[in-house]
Amino acid sequence: MKHLFLIALISFSITCFGQKDYKYPHTLTQEISDTIWGRIVYDPYRWLEDIKSNETQEWIKLQDKVKNKCYGITYYPLIKYLSFYSHIDYKPIFREGKYYFMYRYEENNQTPSLYFQKNEDKGPKFLFNPNLLDKNASVAIDEISISSDNKTLALVLSKNSGDWKTIRFLDIEHKKLLTDTINFVKYSPIYWSDNGVLYIKYDVNSISESFSGIIKGRALYFHKIGTSQNNDLLIYKPESEFSDFSFEVTPKKQYLVIYHSVKNNEKRVNKVSLLNLPLNTDKLFQDLIISTNNNVYFNVIGEFSDKLLVYTNLNAENGAIYNFNPNKTNSGDIFVPQYKEQLEYAKIIGDKLVKIYNDTQQSYAVLCDSTGKDLNAWEIPEGYTFSRFSGSISDSIAIYYFNSFFSPASIYKINLNTFERTQLSKTYIWFNNKNLTTEKVYYYSKDSTKIPMYITYRKDIKLNGNNPTILYGYGGFGISMEPFFSVPNIIFLNNGGVLAAPCLRGGGDFPGWHEKGMRLNKQNTFDDFISAAQYLIDKNYTNSNKLAAMGGSNGGLVVGTCMTQRPDLFKVVISKSGVLDMLRYHLYNIGYNYLEEYGNITDSLDFENLIKYSPVNNVKKGVEYPATLLVASDNDDRVLPFESFKFLSELQAKGGGENPYVLYYQEKSGHSGSDVFEKRIETDAFIYSFIFKYLGIEKKIKYDEN
């Protein structure tokens, strides 16, 4: 049987496309089906869920041959220019404890090394090179956290860009790794407490388990420096092995904060609980907040004077800051009332509270004192967004970044006592972005909801309805759409392209925006994206033959769904690490934690909703779908690559017309691609050469704009 399987797998079908110079490989179908709520659901490509099997690996090799036929003539020039343009000359510095840290690429290294300095005006010194840890894999520093005495640095390390992390510890003075090693860390921040760190691990024996089924047993542990992980102290474990929770330590390290939920009379109750630090096993968690309203969120900011500040939308849809009594439950008073603008972020640095607000056009920062009084405020240019604030609780200097769709990070520092703002370092770029601009427009979705959208283009562009356009979307998990910088977009924009990024429902751009685009309301997200495409066409930015849709992860779901619902709207679709099989996404890794976002097929209403839009289940025979590129990674266990495999197989078997359906499969890469500079360049070059080719503009592309 296995022999026959391989014969079927490596044979070729008569399906072909383009100039008919090659054919799709035949993909074996199996008679597999499930009966869900009385409906038979066929799943002929389920065997591709075993991504490590020999059969799947052989199928991937054959798909790679298809991909190699789709290189545009701009691919190799793009590698050259993207590599050159991506060497942006600036000082990406941030503050941890008494030191300033930065990452730098070094010759012959795959991932950046860590440098540090005591003063931002002094030259950086080498501290640690992660590339020396494993000759057979790329190892990158994902996060760092410094001890209270500024002597030891916790290094969170990622192998082959995966979500599983390993924690090592570095003696800063001697630049030497300690013997301590913490494994099986995933989706966890790292906080110091006294002589050790708090972290989250799962109950697994091998990281490969997340590729073969669900993982469970998420729990919080404390590791004391100089001991074995086997002796780490269990601090908190939820009542259910499938429950999610998060944690943090307040800036002055007085409290460990747990965000979790428990069942009470069959109802889910959300809780914020505190444990006094330093750790004492005899102490019990104190409930700071108990809420039965799933639409209210709470984020503990930290100790401020004699107060414990919490950022929340409780009785304040735009966000306010409350002062809570840590010794009582639900005992909070308004400290900073809500503004007409939305509060997006708050952080304590020194003796000041930094707040970031966003109105309909731009972002601005506000400093306030221990009484809540506003002391100073400043704006950043329209079309830009704050991307990071760092500083010490005992310092009077804060460092912040801001960027736009066409400008990389500008880095500034502010003296929190004098309010003097100074550019910390100049950012030098090797491309022309002076003629680019971003506007924020509003359009109406299918149900007449008003949706904002960023549109970036050359100032001298002519709206003739023929401009190549990329429509980028996300719209999920309460994550707001903010300006992001990407080097390949610069080449696209400088060649007359338009980049559009709508603030889809499902994101966190406005109060209630997330809830209006999740679970049974998920179709709103797709309607918002489709309406954005129609707006761009109606307003003469572009037309359907010049429009590309792009999205990653949840955004991959958005573009995958919209191309099956409205294939006529787009010429090209790029789905990166997309959630595409909505009936089986929850069966691997921690997919069960996404059930609140998407729904559960064990609920009849959820099932009927999911099967209506699930991309894998909605490809129709004979329809000409857009030229489609599915980007997936072998080490992505957040959204397993089989979802792209199955969607691709459906498109290749059923899709009509001349448009190609192609897989770009990245090895030694994770959910967001590779941490290796050259690999990221190659991937971006292929994606944009694919866009240029199938939008019919590759022969018009110019690279030098200076």
Side-chain angles (χ1 to χ4, degrees):
M1 177 65 183
K2 189 171 184 179
H3 178 67
L4 293 175
F5 180 97
L6 286 173
I7 292 176
L9 183 65
I10 63 176
S11 66
F12 287 86
S13 73
I14 60 171
T15 306
C16 48
F17 63 85
Q19 300 302 312
K20 309 211 182 273
D21 55 349
Y22 63 97
K23 303 174 182 178
Y24 292 132
H26 173 76
T27 302
L28 178 74
T29 58
Q30 296 179 329
E31 293 184 6
I32 295 177
S33 64
D34 298 306
T35 300
I36 309 174
W37 294 103
R39 183 187 298 200
I40 298 176
V41 180
Y42 295 98
D43 195 2
Y45 304 112
R46 187 172 293 179
W47 61 272
L48 288 169
E49 292 181 13
D50 186 359
I51 65 172
K52 304 294 184 183
S53 72
N54 292 334
E55 293 80 9
T56 301
Q57 291 299 306
E58 184 65 25
W59 179 86
I60 291 169
K61 290 178 183 178
L62 294 174
Q63 292 296 339
D64 199 53
K65 293 180 179 179
V66 176
K67 180 206 74 176
N68 291 339
K69 295 287 187 177
C70 290
Y71 284 98
I73 60 174
T74 58
Y75 174 67
Y76 290 106
L78 278 172
I79 289 178
K80 173 185 174 182
Y81 284 95
L82 289 177
S83 180
F84 178 65
Y85 290 163
S86 295
H87 285 89
I88 297 166
D89 187 5
Y90 77 118
K91 195 176 183 181
I93 193 169
F94 58 96
R95 181 83 157 157
E96 283 280 336
K98 72 176 184 180
Y99 294 110
Y100 294 89
F101 293 92
M102 68 286 304
Y103 296 103
R104 289 190 171 184
Y105 276 101
E106 296 175 329
E107 191 174 357
N108 300 322
N109 283 341
Q110 292 184 314
T111 62
S113 294
L114 182 65
Y115 283 74
F116 78 123
Q117 58 199 60
K118 291 185 178 180
N119 188 298
E120 77 269 17
D121 298 324
K122 301 293 183 180
K125 296 181 180 179
F126 168 81
L127 185 58
F128 180 71
N129 180 5
N131 295 274
L132 302 178
L133 294 176
D134 192 331
K135 294 181 179 179
N136 299 315
S138 66
V139 179
I141 304 171
D142 190 69
E143 182 184 348
I144 65 172
S145 181
I146 197 167
S147 60
S148 298
D149 61 8
N150 293 288
K151 292 182 178 180
T152 309
L153 199 64
L155 303 167
V156 183
L157 303 171
S158 173
K159 181 181 288 188
N160 292 334
S161 311
D163 282 341
W164 287 107
K165 314 295 181 186
T166 297
I167 304 174
R168 299 294 305 273
F169 298 90
L170 185 72
D171 180 326
I172 295 176
E173 180 181 358
H174 299 97
K175 303 179 182 178
K176 182 180 179 181
L177 280 177
L178 306 182
T179 57
D180 302 51
T181 301
I182 303 176
N183 294 310
F184 305 125
V185 180
K186 194 181 185 78
Y187 311 133
S188 173
I190 305 298
Y191 287 97
W192 284 86
S193 176
D194 199 19
N195 58 349
V197 295
L198 291 147
Y199 70 94
I200 291 172
K201 71 177 286 288
Y202 284 82
D203 184 16
V204 295
N205 296 309
S206 168
I207 61 175
S208 64
E209 291 180 29
S210 55
F211 287 98
S212 57
I214 59 174
I215 60 171
K216 54 189 179 180
R218 182 175 171 89
L220 176 64
Y221 289 85
F222 175 75
H223 174 82
K224 182 180 179 180
I225 298 299
T227 65
S228 167
Q229 185 180 11
N230 295 330
N231 298 324
D232 287 356
L233 181 66
L234 175 63
I235 303 300
Y236 172 78
K237 191 171 186 178
E239 59 185 19
S240 167
E241 290 187 299
F242 303 102
S243 294
D244 193 16
F245 72 92
S246 60
F247 82 98
E248 62 182 304
V249 171
T250 52
K252 292 183 180 179
K253 303 189 186 303
Q254 288 182 247
Y255 304 103
L256 165 63
V257 184
I258 300 284
Y259 303 94
H260 57 136
S261 62
V262 297
K263 274 191 175 181
N264 186 1
N265 296 326
E266 299 303 316
K267 290 185 178 181
R268 185 62 60 181
V269 177
N270 296 317
K271 301 174 73 173
V272 180
S273 303
L274 301 179
L275 187 66
N276 287 78
L277 296 176
L279 290 169
N280 184 330
T281 54
D282 294 329
K283 294 180 182 178
L284 298 176
F285 279 97
Q286 164 72 35
D287 290 334
L288 180 70
I289 300 166
I290 299 176
S291 174
T292 57
N293 188 341
N294 291 325
N295 294 326
V296 175
Y297 57 79
F298 300 93
N299 293 305
V300 175
I301 303 169
E303 315 91 331
F304 199 46
S305 187
D306 59 345
K307 308 169 183 67
L308 185 62
L309 301 187
V310 178
Y311 160 41
T312 176
N313 63 342
L314 177 67
N315 300 321
E317 66 173 12
N318 285 334
I321 297 175
Y322 278 66
N323 165 31
F324 273 84
N325 184 337
N327 299 312
K328 295 182 179 180
T329 302
N330 291 345
S331 178
D333 301 311
I334 288 285
F335 178 68
V336 175
Q338 70 171 327
Y339 290 8
K340 63 179 181 179
E341 299 83 6
Q342 186 172 3
L343 177 62
E344 293 188 332
Y345 173 83
K347 182 181 178 71
I348 298 170
I349 301 178
D351 62 352
K352 303 295 190 300
L353 177 64
V354 180
K355 304 175 294 178
I356 305 299
Y357 290 92
N358 184 35
D359 63 18
T360 57
Q361 295 298 326
Q362 61 190 130
S363 297
Y364 61 97
V366 179
L367 297 179
C368 72
D369 64 15
S370 60
T371 69
K373 178 184 176 183
D374 290 345
L375 301 173
N376 187 259
W378 70 99
E379 298 175 340
I380 55 175
E382 184 177 344
Y384 286 71
T385 185
F386 287 103
S387 55
R388 181 170 189 164
F389 261 87
S390 66
S392 168
I393 192 67
S394 59
D395 203 354
S396 61
I397 298 293
I399 296 174
Y400 64 94
Y401 293 28
F402 60 88
N403 63 272
S404 74
F405 286 106
F406 53 84
S407 292
S410 296
I411 310 170
Y412 282 74
K413 68 175 181 179
I414 179 171
N415 185 307
L416 301 177
N417 294 326
T418 66
F419 312 129
E420 180 185 7
R421 298 188 303 277
T422 309
Q423 188 166 7
L424 194 57
S425 65
K426 292 285 186 181
T427 301
Y428 297 97
I429 56 177
W430 314 113
F431 48 82
N432 180 16
N433 68 350
K434 295 178 181 179
N435 197 32
L436 301 176
T437 188
T438 295
E439 65 173 330
K440 198 171 187 179
V441 303
Y442 290 83
Y443 65 93
Y444 291 98
S445 190
K446 183 178 180 180
D447 63 357
S448 298
T449 298
K450 197 174 182 180
I451 312 293
M453 177 163 58
Y454 296 100
I455 305 181
T456 304
Y457 49 84
R458 287 178 64 107
K459 296 174 184 176
D460 58 358
I461 195 172
K462 295 180 180 179
L463 299 183
N464 56 11
N466 202 38
N467 303 299
T469 299
I470 295 174
L471 179 62
Y472 182 89
Y474 186 76
F477 296 92
I479 298 173
S480 299
M481 174 57 68
E482 297 178 338
F484 60 89
F485 176 75
S486 175
V487 171
N489 283 338
I490 299 298
I491 293 177
F492 178 71
L493 292 166
N494 274 331
N495 278 276
V498 175
L499 174 65
C503 303
L504 309 174
R505 280 175 288 182
D509 304 270
F510 300 104
W513 214 239
H514 180 205
E515 292 75 19
K516 293 174 182 176
M518 63 182 290
R519 205 157 188 164
L520 295 178
N521 294 323
K522 196 64 190 172
Q523 183 61 42
N524 286 336
T525 307
F526 313 134
D527 290 341
D528 293 352
F529 193 79
I530 289 169
S531 297
Q534 195 63 57
Y535 174 90
L536 293 168
I537 293 170
D538 293 343
K539 295 298 182 181
N540 259 4
Y541 286 94
T542 191
N543 63 73
S544 59
N545 286 319
K546 295 294 184 187
L547 181 57
M550 183 187 294
S553 195
N554 181 82
L557 165 64
V558 171
V559 299
T561 299
C562 291
M563 68 175 276
T564 58
Q565 293 186 356
R566 286 293 306 275
D568 57 303
L569 266 184
F570 311 101
K571 182 61 178 177
V572 175
V573 169
I574 312 293
S575 173
K576 298 187 284 187
S577 304
V579 187
L580 299 165
D581 188 348
M582 302 312 296
L583 304 188
R584 294 182 63 80
Y585 73 90
H586 61 294
L587 299 178
Y588 294 89
N589 193 36
I590 61 165
Y592 51 84
N593 277 336
Y594 310 146
L595 293 174
E596 283 299 313
E597 182 75 17
Y598 297 128
N600 193 336
I601 60 172
T602 60
D603 182 292
S604 61
L605 291 178
D606 280 337
F607 167 69
E608 290 297 334
N609 185 55
L610 289 166
I611 200 168
K612 283 180 182 178
Y613 72 78
S614 175
V616 165
N617 303 96
N618 281 281
V619 179
K620 297 179 175 60
K621 186 72 174 177
V623 174
E624 183 169 358
Y625 293 102
T628 304
L629 177 62
L630 303 177
V631 181
S633 302
D634 67 343
N635 201 32
D636 180 6
D637 64 353
R638 194 182 315 178
V639 178
L640 267 63
F642 78 77
E643 302 202 41
S644 294
F645 298 169
K646 293 168 78 171
F647 187 46
L648 179 73
S649 298
E650 292 285 349
L651 288 171
Q652 290 183 346
K654 297 177 180 176
E658 298 292 305
N659 291 327
Y661 315 120
V662 182
L663 175 70
Y664 187 97
Y665 195 58
Q666 306 175 96
E667 295 183 343
K668 295 184 178 181
S669 301
H671 186 64
S672 299
S674 175
D675 290 318
V676 178
F677 178 78
E678 288 78 8
K679 282 190 174 182
R680 296 187 78 90
I681 294 297
E682 290 174 1
T683 301
D684 284 341
F686 189 91
I687 289 171
Y688 281 78
S689 71
F690 187 90
I691 292 172
F692 296 161
K693 180 175 183 177
Y694 294 103
L695 287 187
I697 60 173
E698 62 179 354
K699 294 181 179 179
K700 301 176 182 179
I701 298 297
K702 298 178 182 178
Y703 306 94
D704 292 308
E705 289 293 325
N706 287 328

